[in-house]
Amino acid sequence: PAYARIVVAGGGRIWVWPEQPDEPNPFDEQARQLTGRESGWRVGEHGAFEVFSPDGRWLGAVRLPENVPYSGYPTTLPLVIRGDTVWAMMRDSLDVEYIGRFEVEWPSG
């Protein structure tokens, strides 16, 4: 599948963000008047990274939390990935932005 972003994190792991399906985007009143349509589509902002070892072996998928919008494009805020840690901008229920830190725990095996 097509991809939107490749991130090489510390330790050589390769994080690939595949293209996500577009999501419906309801228009506000001004956009409805300008276009004559009720809604459109926007780049999908929810999904999972496919993670590979430096030698190309697939390690697994890392799904982002629902409150972390990410598309791989400049339409969403960037993520920072270092080793098995992901930092992301999030918004709370009052639309206040804050930074979230997530640790990936890989199954032993």
Side-chain angles (χ1 to χ4, degrees), residues 14-56:
I14 302 162
W15 295 60
V16 178
W17 183 261
E19 288 284 354
Q20 303 299 317
D22 285 350
E23 299 173 348
N25 182 31
F27 288 159
D28 62 18
E29 184 60 34
Q30 182 180 8
R32 283 194 292 266
Q33 289 177 358
L34 288 172
T35 65
R37 297 179 17 212
E38 293 293 316
S39 65
W41 296 91
R42 68 172 174 242
V43 174
E45 297 179 342
H46 303 286
F49 279 96
E50 299 290 331
V51 184
F52 300 86
S53 69
D55 66 359

Side-chain angles (χ1 to χ4, degrees), residues 5-107:
R5 178 75 59 198
I6 295 178
V7 178
V8 179
R13 286 198 174 138
I14 302 162
W15 295 60
V16 178
W17 183 261
E19 288 284 354
Q20 303 299 317
D22 285 350
E23 299 173 348
N25 182 31
F27 288 159
D28 62 18
E29 184 60 34
Q30 182 180 8
R32 283 194 292 266
Q33 289 177 358
L34 288 172
T35 65
R37 297 179 17 212
E38 293 293 316
S39 65
W41 296 91
R42 68 172 174 242
V43 174
E45 297 179 342
H46 303 286
F49 279 96
E50 299 290 331
V51 184
F52 300 86
S53 69
D55 66 359
R57 186 173 39 92
W58 183 75
L59 298 175
V62 175
R63 180 163 294 283
L64 294 178
E66 283 299 315
N67 60 342
V68 177
Y70 183 72
S71 69
Y73 295 101
T75 55
T76 54
L77 295 170
L79 298 173
V80 175
I81 301 172
R82 295 288 183 266
D84 293 331
T85 305
V86 178
W87 285 271
M89 290 295 294
M90 301 185 307
R91 293 181 194 270
D92 65 13
S93 60
L94 300 173
D95 208 29
V96 175
E97 290 182 344
Y98 64 98
I99 297 174
R101 179 179 180 265
F102 306 94
E103 287 283 330
V104 178
E105 294 183 13
W106 299 99

